[in-house]
């Protein structure tokens, strides 16, 4: 019996994709947002709408516009993280360099009130108080890659792969 292509594709494993932007201010602090649908803080970003043809870079930019009202051309990819979780397929999380936001851009931030409570700038050495586990490791690794100019880092559950 020969499977048709659609049946073959339907039977393949699934993976989710998310993308975010790492924005900083002139002092090197990281822009974090506080969602209302989960505990803790996150980078501006969200789910990549791959079923609509969206790429991770496009998803990160779209989510940034939706969540904080800034339309910023994103810089290089800083990190790719394969994250395994309970009761869901794995997530591939992409982090792009959002660059350094000017004071005017920071003043122009407008939160998407349907999903976000607040935003703040957090010093690198204070990130542990806001970002837990895998997300915290991912953001610190992306920040370090940006600072060192080494290119994107490959992560598994927030830690260097391999």
């Amino acid at each position: 019996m020969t499977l048709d292509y659609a049946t073959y594709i339907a039977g393949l494993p699934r993976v989710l994709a998310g993308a975010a932007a790492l924005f900083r201010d002139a002092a090197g602090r990281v822009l974090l947002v506080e969602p209302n649908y989960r505990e803790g803080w996150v980078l501006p970003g969200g789910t990549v709408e791959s079923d609509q043809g969206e790429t991770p870079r496009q998803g990160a930019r779209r989510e940034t516009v939706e969540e904080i009202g800034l339309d910023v051309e994103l810089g290089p990819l800083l990190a790719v993280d394969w994250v395994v979780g309970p009761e869901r397929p794995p997530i591939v999380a992409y982090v792009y360099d959002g660059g350094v936001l000017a004071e005017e851009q920071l003043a122009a931030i407008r939160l998407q009130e349907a999903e976000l409570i607040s935003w703040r700038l957090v010093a690198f050495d204070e990130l542990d108080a806001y970002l837990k586990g895998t997300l915290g490791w991912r953001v610190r690794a992306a920040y370090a890659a940006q600072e060192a100019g080494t290119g994107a880092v490959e992560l598994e559950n927030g830690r260097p792969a391999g």
Side-chain angles (χ1 to χ4, degrees):
M1 177 168 90
T2 305
L3 292 177
D4 66 58
Y5 189 67
T7 303
Y8 168 73
I9 293 297
L12 291 176
R14 300 285 176 249
V15 64
L16 305 174
L22 176 63
F23 294 105
R24 292 164 288 115
D25 71 353
R29 296 177 298 177
V30 176
L31 174 68
L32 299 179
V33 293
E34 182 182 19
N36 61 17
Y37 54 87
R38 63 177 268 195
E39 296 270 334
W41 294 74
V42 297
L43 293 176
T47 301
V48 176
E49 295 178 359
S50 59
D51 59 342
Q52 296 179 22
E54 186 173 68
T55 68
R57 177 178 294 278
Q58 291 167 337
R61 188 169 183 174
R62 175 187 52 76
E63 286 284 349
T64 297
V65 172
E66 289 176 7
E67 290 188 349
I68 61 174
L70 298 181
D71 189 6
V72 177
E73 185 171 342
L74 300 176
L77 178 67
L78 298 175
V80 176
D81 193 5
W82 179 270
V83 184
V84 178
E87 301 178 16
R88 65 159 170 73
I91 295 174
V92 179
Y94 298 82
V95 179
Y96 292 94
D97 187 356
V100 176
L101 296 176
E103 288 297 322
E104 302 81 36
Q105 290 171 300
L106 292 169
I109 290 175
R110 298 295 176 262
L111 292 179
Q112 179 185 35
E113 293 180 3
E115 292 184 17
L116 300 176
I117 299 168
S118 63
W119 68 276
R120 70 176 5 154
L121 295 164
V122 177
F124 181 81
D125 60 355
E126 296 175 2
L127 286 173
D128 287 342
Y130 296 88
L131 304 173
K132 303 300 180 197
T134 303
L135 177 59
W137 301 329
R138 179 183 323 128
V139 171
R140 286 191 294 282
Y143 189 100
Q146 193 285 326
E147 288 287 303
T150 56
V153 293
E154 178 187 358
L155 307 169
E156 293 175 1
N157 298 308
R159 301 291 193 184

